[in-house]
Amino acid sequence: MLLLEANRVVPVSRLVDALWNETPPATAKSQVHISVSALRRLLGRSGAQLIETRSPGYVLRTPDDAVDLKRFEDLAAKGAAAAAEQRLQEATRHYRAALALWRGPAMAGIESRVIRVYATRWDETRLTVLEDCLDLELQLGRHREIIGELSELVAEHPLRERLRAQMMLALYRSGRQADALDVFRAGREILQQELGLDPGKELRRLESAILASDRSLDLPGGVVRGAAQEWLAATPAPHQLPAATADFTGRDQLIEQVLALLSPDGADDRARRVPVVVLTGKGGVGKTALALIAAHQLQDRYPDGQLFTQMRNGGEQPESSGWLLERFLRSFGIAPAALPAEVADQAALYRSWLAERRVLIVIDDASSVNQVIPLLPGSAQCAVIVTSRNRLAGLEGASQLEVGALDEPSGMALVARLIGRERADAEEDAVRALVELCDNLPLALRIAAAKLAARPHWRISRLVRRLEDERRRLDELDLDGISVRATISFSFESLAADARRLLMLLSLLGPVDFASWVGAPLLDCEVDVAEDTLETLVEAHLVEVRIEEDGPLRYQLHDLVRIYAVERLVDEEPTEARGAALRRLLGCWLFLTAEAHRREYGGDFSVLHGDGERWPLPEATTDDLLKDPLGWFRSEHNALVAAVLQAGQAGLDEVCWDLAMTSVTLFESGSYVDDWRQSHERALAVVRAAGNRRGEAAMLYSLGTVALTGRVHDAAREFGRALELFESLDDVHGRALAQGGLAVVDRLGGMYGPALTRYQTALADFQRVGDLIGEAHMLRDMAQIHIDWRHFDIAERFLGQAYEVCRKLGARRVTAQIEYELAELSLHRGHLDKAEETFGSVWKIAGQGGDIVGQAYALLGLGVVRSRQGLHGQAEADLEDAVNLADDTGDLLLRGRALLALAEIDFDRDKVDHAMRRLNEALGALSDLGSAAVWRARVLEMVGRLHEHEGRTDAAEQAWRAAASLAGDADPTLAGQLSTALSRVAGHVQE
């Protein structure tokens, strides 16, 4: 995106759209900022200059000749200029040089909707340049040399009349008049079938000129050598293809793939296997319609006939291969009395008849490989298209193409074609919602659109409201006996009993995606058995697979299948059995989250657990899932939040609060503040309703922790309530957690003495219960206070103790937090190189663990270091990224600190007004936080310096006195600076 818009600002919102289309994650902006920061580092010391932060996004500065698209534009422009001046040889050289820069379609392999818009424009530009070049080469008499290239281009772009005309002219000038006319006839049929149009005037005029051997088509002074082409006399054969769907929409790429795979290769045909394409997908996705569209476009390439059969033909049992062979042979004109009795002999006769012919066979709705094999020809001059709801993996040599749901634009276009463009445009948002509610499934969309077409007095939004009720959605998607429910039921009834039961139980998960292990607790069976059963659902296209780069496999039920599964679950599974399956599933969640937390922190530290029943997985499976505990938490993000809410709905209070608290490992590292707060507020309501005081105390403590980044007063209230409950329960571990939280509140408020007292109390309790990570947290926080007091040796001792504990435990994230404080210590001591190295290590560790907050603070530290090194450009880039991440995560303290550091850079550059704006923003953030007295004092100290610089002595004195009242004795260095500044002001007044 940055290269496509080189030297122009690309907004962050545009980058988010390009990366995630309409479904960005909650951390989208954060991930963009982190990616840009990482890209700058990859580019080295020049990264900050190459990629600049410019509101509202980023700009990549690069010379024009460094970008291939710009080079292509320049060369194409030179070619056009030379052509205009009749310098044809030179023009073709420029055009060919421009075209040589291409390595296939633009931005190939990138499915982003935004990128595809660019790609379409550039692909069209490339084709136009290529056509211009071919025109010149025809003028230069190179018609024979370009016939092969034109053949490929016309096959690839059958609707481009200019390419077709160029090919006709090249063939005609090469003495191949019949071939040239055949190219015209093929184009006319394609245009009529695809668009209902006749060829354009220029193409028709060229046909007439070829028929008349018009001398105007000759090269100057050239003599056209005519040649007759003999065609193999076509044996009468059936043409059984049903009519293609008139309003077929989308699928252009799939159609191109089918055409490319099934287009004959001339002399090489006999050396190849029979080309077979299998179109697989769930019922109602449009496999048959796609097969017929492709088959009609292939008719001219298989002139000896097209065969079509439906394996089920509306019945539950498939037709036998023997019966179908007999029907095919009769359609060839073979008398019934002449048909062999044995199926094997019929198949041999069938293959013999096809041996010298080009015939296309379409086999619709096959359910097994054995059904298909007898109907395959033996000659590679023929081709086969098979549609199936199952993956026919055993069909050797076949090309398997997955037919998925329509994309949103294609779904909306289909609805518009069926109900009328004007009506669809009038309620565009409702059409979009309709497409989503129909799972982008063509069958469902056709039923819904047909209802709307039959009821022109209905608003589209009316049908949308009816579909939004999941209890009646499948009822609504039923019209004259054609229904989505029947289509899903057909696939469901074909399953084995255990697969049917798993599909029903999977509906308990709701609309979230899931991992393969969930089947084990749901079925109460071994993991391998459950995974095999799940794969049968995938093969039947009732469960979708999501494959993410470098991520685990995820599965999901589309809404219509899930709703159907819920209906069958209620009908067939007793209430008690459903409840037991859900308890096992939630127990497995509880087991895995606790184990992931334990592996991340090196033990069961800094967390409380309830008495909820757990359902453990085998050790080997657990080890495989939790190789990267934080990565596992991230992959299960949505499912975990849903599990907490499900536990609450089921009234499982112990499971609910335990699962919520253990998931804080995810919420905190990924800064999923909204999910953290939502899940814990729900769990708090559940435990209060159940009278569960320990669960209530745990949720209050955790809600206090999440409040620390936004409203410190709220945090103090929640920690205080939690402490009261823990003390009444004599829960030493809980008391330590709450005391530690209140100590943070005191420290942020500048009350370092009371904070130290609380930290020491909490430290003793953590040591008493053996919570080593809790102990490390307390040592780290006490070290922060001693750093501000310039007790560097004490701070170093505390941090050393904490670091050693975390290193031995293997707690990567907490170790990185300790390293961050060590880097801060180096910064205060003036050891800038050491500080830079350690902050860089923290940034790397946080990035590997997906710790957005950790990355943000590392960027803050790096920015401060580089500012003090005089590298203001790199410092500003790092600090602006830190501000962006602070905005994304809602961390007001981080925002205030980063803005203060940026103001220092502005002041060094003598940008006083800009610096003052930054400081006012910083004060706003820290005031909203409701605490951070020391940092507010530091901001005000700098405000005073700016006022003094501008000669506003009274304003400077006012700022410094406010800073002194906030700082107290928390920061001796700051106190000294303020005292000196106030004395300086007093001396100035006295003078």
Side-chain angles (χ1 to χ4, degrees):
M1 282 296 295
L2 293 175
L3 283 167
L4 285 167
E5 297 288 351
N7 300 307
R8 291 192 292 269
V9 175
V10 184
V12 171
S13 59
R14 182 74 168 160
L15 295 174
V16 170
D17 288 343
L19 286 163
W20 290 283
N21 295 327
E22 288 80 18
T23 57
T27 59
K29 290 184 179 179
S30 303
Q31 292 189 47
V32 168
H33 300 320
I34 289 169
S35 296
V36 170
S37 180
L39 184 55
R40 283 172 171 151
R41 296 187 189 290
L42 288 172
L43 293 171
R45 288 195 172 269
S46 61
Q49 285 74 41
L50 287 174
I51 304 177
E52 299 178 13
T53 301
R54 287 289 178 269
S55 180
Y58 298 96
V59 59
L60 175 66
R61 302 295 186 191
T62 182
D64 287 343
D65 62 1
V67 183
D68 51 8
L69 287 179
K70 181 59 181 175
R71 292 171 61 198
F72 168 75
E73 277 188 313
D74 291 345
L75 286 167
K78 289 178 181 178
E85 297 174 5
Q86 290 301 302
R87 293 180 279 115
L88 304 189
Q89 297 277 8
E90 180 183 344
T92 58
R93 283 198 302 273
H94 287 311
Y95 279 146
R96 286 297 179 183
L99 294 165
L101 294 171
W102 289 74
R103 296 292 183 271
M107 280 70 80
I110 301 176
E111 297 303 323
S112 162
R113 174 180 53 79
V114 174
I115 294 291
R116 295 324 307 160
V117 171
Y118 285 98
T120 300
R121 185 184 76 185
W122 283 110
D123 284 336
E124 180 63 29
T125 302
R126 175 202 182 194
L127 276 175
T128 301
V129 169
L130 180 54
E131 289 170 338
D132 291 345
C133 182
L134 291 167
D135 272 344
L136 298 181
E137 290 176 331
L138 283 168
Q139 291 181 50
L140 291 168
R142 300 174 184 169
H143 40 272
R144 288 186 178 85
E145 291 93 326
I146 64 175
I147 285 176
E149 182 179 9
L150 280 166
S151 298
E152 295 178 2
L153 289 167
V154 170
E156 188 177 354
H157 307 284
L159 300 179
R160 290 187 79 93
E161 295 193 16
R162 187 179 178 190
L163 285 173
R164 193 171 293 276
Q166 290 170 333
M167 185 173 178
M168 290 168 63
L169 183 58
L171 288 167
Y172 177 78
R173 287 181 177 175
S174 301
R176 298 168 62 181
Q177 182 182 23
D179 287 354
L181 293 171
D182 190 54
V183 170
F184 173 81
R185 285 191 290 270
R188 179 176 58 198
E189 291 186 17
I190 288 172
L191 286 166
Q192 289 173 344
Q193 290 171 4
E194 287 287 305
L195 306 175
L197 300 173
D198 288 325
K201 184 186 298 184
E202 292 302 320
L203 210 57
R204 297 198 307 272
R205 186 179 297 161
L206 179 58
E207 182 211 22
S208 299
I210 291 173
L211 287 169
S213 298
D214 192 322
R215 299 301 296 271
S216 66
L217 299 181
D218 295 345
L219 284 168
V223 177
V224 179
R225 299 190 304 272
Q229 182 175 9
E230 296 182 359
W231 294 92
L232 176 66
T235 302
H239 298 275
Q240 299 176 348
L241 294 179
T245 303
D247 47 25
F248 187 87
T249 305
R251 312 289 197 197
D252 293 343
Q253 185 175 359
L254 270 174
I255 292 172
E256 288 180 10
Q257 285 182 270
V258 175
L259 298 183
L261 290 166
L262 299 185
S263 295
D265 294 331
D268 294 333
D269 279 354
R270 294 179 183 277
R272 297 186 297 111
R273 294 178 176 178
V274 178
V276 179
V277 169
V278 179
L279 301 175
T280 66
K282 61 185 176 184
V285 82
K287 302 182 295 296
T288 303
L290 173 60
L292 289 175
I293 287 288
H296 277 285
Q297 294 189 33
L298 288 164
Q299 280 188 95
D300 289 345
R301 306 176 198 185
Y302 295 93
D304 298 322
Q306 301 85 41
L307 301 175
F308 178 83
T309 184
Q310 287 181 305
M311 298 302 292
R312 293 186 182 275
N313 199 24
E316 291 188 6
Q317 295 299 319
E319 306 286 4
S320 70
S321 298
W323 185 88
L324 291 171
L325 278 170
E326 183 179 336
R327 187 163 67 83
F328 279 162
L329 291 169
R330 287 181 180 180
S331 70
F332 299 159
I334 299 173
L339 290 174
E342 299 296 327
V343 172
D345 294 332
Q346 291 175 0
L349 179 59
Y350 168 75
R351 290 192 295 272
S352 297
W353 191 89
L354 294 174
E356 298 301 324
R357 292 170 172 80
R358 292 186 179 277
V359 177
L360 177 65
I361 301 103
V362 179
I363 303 170
D364 187 41
D365 206 12
S367 59
S368 70
V369 172
N370 291 335
Q371 289 180 330
V372 175
I373 288 176
L375 302 179
L376 295 181
S379 166
Q381 296 184 120
C382 298
V384 182
I385 302 176
V386 182
T387 73
S388 178
R389 302 182 190 212
N390 302 317
R391 291 186 173 90
L392 305 181
L395 200 57
E396 185 179 352
S399 299
Q400 304 277 346
L401 299 181
E402 186 85 16
V403 183
L406 293 172
D407 57 27
E408 184 184 274
S410 297
M412 294 179 69
L414 176 58
V415 173
R417 293 184 71 171
L418 293 169
I419 70 172
R421 171 61 62 185
E422 184 176 351
R423 187 179 179 190
D425 288 346
E427 291 187 79
E428 184 176 345
D429 289 342
V431 173
R432 184 176 290 105
L434 182 71
V435 171
E436 183 178 356
L437 289 167
C438 290
D439 279 351
N440 297 59
L441 195 67
L443 174 64
L445 289 171
R446 288 182 182 280
I447 292 171
K451 281 193 170 185
L452 289 170
R455 302 166 188 176
H457 52 286
W458 273 28
R459 288 181 61 80
I460 301 170
S461 57
R462 180 176 178 180
L463 180 57
V464 167
R465 284 194 299 272
R466 294 165 71 106
L467 289 171
E468 285 174 339
D469 183 352
E470 289 193 355
R471 294 169 300 179
R472 58 180 299 170
R473 190 178 304 174
L474 293 179
D475 294 329
E476 290 291 342
L477 295 175
D478 188 324
L479 185 67
D480 297 332
I482 300 173
S483 74
V484 172
R485 182 184 280 111
T487 300
I488 300 173
S489 177
F490 185 81
S491 298
F492 181 83
E493 297 297 344
S494 302
L495 298 171
D498 57 346
R500 287 200 301 269
R501 184 162 185 262
L502 178 58
L503 182 66
M504 293 187 295
L505 291 172
L506 286 172
S507 68
L508 291 171
L509 277 70
V512 298
D513 58 22
F514 53 89
S516 60
W517 59 264
V518 303
L522 286 174
L523 292 176
D524 199 11
C525 67
E526 295 179 0
V527 174
D528 289 345
V529 173
E531 288 182 343
D532 289 344
T533 306
L534 178 62
E535 288 303 323
T536 65
L537 298 177
V538 173
E539 291 166 9
H541 290 92
L542 290 167
V543 170
E544 299 290 327
V545 181
R546 290 174 47 194
I547 303 174
E548 298 179 0
E549 187 176 356
D550 298 328
L553 284 178
R554 306 292 294 174
Y555 300 82
Q556 189 166 22
L557 300 183
H558 275 299
D559 280 347
L560 295 177
V561 174
R562 178 177 56 80
I563 293 167
Y564 176 85
V566 169
E567 290 181 352
R568 297 299 293 257
L569 181 69
V570 173
D571 289 342
E572 300 184 21
E573 193 82 1
T575 303
E576 183 178 343
R578 296 200 301 268
L582 180 60
R583 286 192 298 275
R584 290 193 301 271
L585 176 64
L586 294 172
C588 197
W589 275 119
L590 202 53
F591 163 76
L592 284 171
T593 53
E595 188 62 29
H597 176 96
R598 186 178 298 112
R599 295 183 184 212
E600 179 61 28
Y601 285 92
D604 236 352
F605 304 129
S606 290
V607 70
L608 302 175
H609 291 301
D611 297 328
E613 185 178 353
R614 301 183 184 185
W615 200 92
L617 291 173
E619 184 177 355
T621 302
T622 305
D623 289 343
D624 186 53
L625 288 173
L626 303 181
K627 287 179 292 189
D628 174 11
L630 277 181
W632 179 82
F633 269 120
R634 287 196 302 275
S635 68
E636 298 289 1
H637 174 191
N638 294 327
L640 265 175
V641 175
V644 173
L645 301 180
Q646 281 183 313
Q649 290 168 354
L652 302 172
D653 56 298
E654 284 289 291
V655 174
C656 184
W657 79 257
D658 192 341
L659 196 54
M661 188 171 198
T662 314
S663 299
V664 169
T665 307
L666 163 70
F667 301 142
E668 191 174 28
S669 66
S671 195
Y672 301 119
V673 176
D674 291 340
D675 288 332
W676 188 345
R677 187 176 292 112
Q678 177 195 10
S679 62
H680 281 60
E681 287 176 348
R682 175 59 182 156
L684 180 62
V686 170
V687 293
R688 280 177 170 167
N692 187 333
R693 298 174 68 214
R694 186 164 182 268
E696 181 181 358
M699 292 300 92
L700 287 169
Y701 158 73
S702 195
L703 285 168
T705 305
V706 72
L708 281 174
T709 60
R711 297 292 299 174
V712 175
H713 294 314
D714 292 344
R717 183 183 65 248
E718 307 295 16
F719 286 141
R721 292 174 178 173
L723 182 59
E724 290 176 7
L725 283 169
F726 282 131
E727 286 181 332
S728 70
L729 295 168
D730 197 24
D731 188 321
V732 177
H733 199 181
R735 184 176 66 200
L737 292 169
Q739 281 282 20
L742 286 168
V744 174
V745 172
D746 286 342
R747 179 170 55 81
L748 288 173
M751 295 182 292
Y752 282 10
L756 268 180
T757 301
R758 286 193 186 276
Y759 280 133
Q760 289 162 351
T761 301
L763 177 63
D765 280 342
F766 280 128
Q767 290 172 335
R768 179 178 167 188
V769 297
D771 187 338
L772 298 176
I773 293 297
E775 181 181 342
H777 280 310
M778 298 304 98
L779 291 168
R780 179 202 64 189
D781 287 3
M782 287 192 293
Q784 288 179 324
I785 291 175
H786 285 291
I787 289 174
D788 282 348
W789 279 348
R790 305 191 69 79
H791 299 161
F792 295 148
D793 291 341
I794 297 174
E796 185 174 25
R797 185 173 72 253
F798 283 165
L799 291 174
Q801 293 172 11
Y803 182 83
E804 191 61 25
V805 167
C806 295
R807 188 187 63 79
K808 287 181 178 178
L809 292 173
R812 298 173 300 171
R813 184 163 176 266
V814 186
T815 302
Q817 292 170 352
I818 305 300
E819 284 193 14
Y820 176 85
E821 294 303 329
L822 287 168
E824 286 275 0
L825 180 59
S826 297
L827 187 61
H828 277 75
R829 283 174 160 171
H831 303 161
L832 298 184
D833 290 344
K834 179 63 175 176
E836 181 180 15
E837 178 186 352
T838 310
F839 281 132
S841 172
V842 173
W843 189 85
K844 183 177 180 181
I845 294 170
Q848 291 171 344
D851 183 352
I852 294 174
V853 176
Q855 287 180 284
Y857 273 93
L859 286 170
L860 168 63
L862 286 167
V864 173
V865 169
R866 285 167 180 162
S867 174
R868 295 187 185 178
Q869 291 171 334
L871 304 173
H872 288 158
Q874 293 181 46
E876 187 174 31
D878 285 337
L879 291 169
E880 285 178 342
D881 284 344
V883 171
N884 289 331
L885 290 174
D887 291 341
D888 294 342
T889 60
D891 193 321
L892 297 175
L893 178 60
L894 171 62
R895 175 175 172 79
R897 291 181 59 182
L899 286 167
L900 172 59
L902 283 166
E904 291 279 6
I905 295 174
D906 291 333
F907 190 29
D908 287 346
R909 291 172 167 175
D910 203 26
K911 297 180 179 179
V912 177
D913 291 343
H914 202 183
M916 188 62 80
R917 283 197 298 272
R918 303 251 207 207
L919 292 173
N920 287 330
E921 289 182 40
L923 283 173
L926 297 171
S927 296
D928 289 343
L929 183 62
S931 187
V934 174
W935 282 105
R936 287 163 64 195
R938 289 169 182 167
V939 173
L940 286 168
E941 184 276 331
M942 187 178 177
V943 170
R945 278 191 281 137
L946 263 62
H947 283 310
E948 183 183 37
H949 181 272
E950 295 296 295
R952 297 187 290 265
T953 308
D954 290 345
E957 181 181 11
Q958 182 180 357
W960 285 330
R961 292 197 182 281
S965 68
L966 285 169
D969 61 352
D971 186 341
T973 301
L974 178 61
Q977 292 170 345
L978 291 170
S979 177
T980 301
L982 287 168
S983 297
R984 188 169 60 249
V985 171
H988 175 76
V989 172
Q990 186 175 359
E991 289 177 10

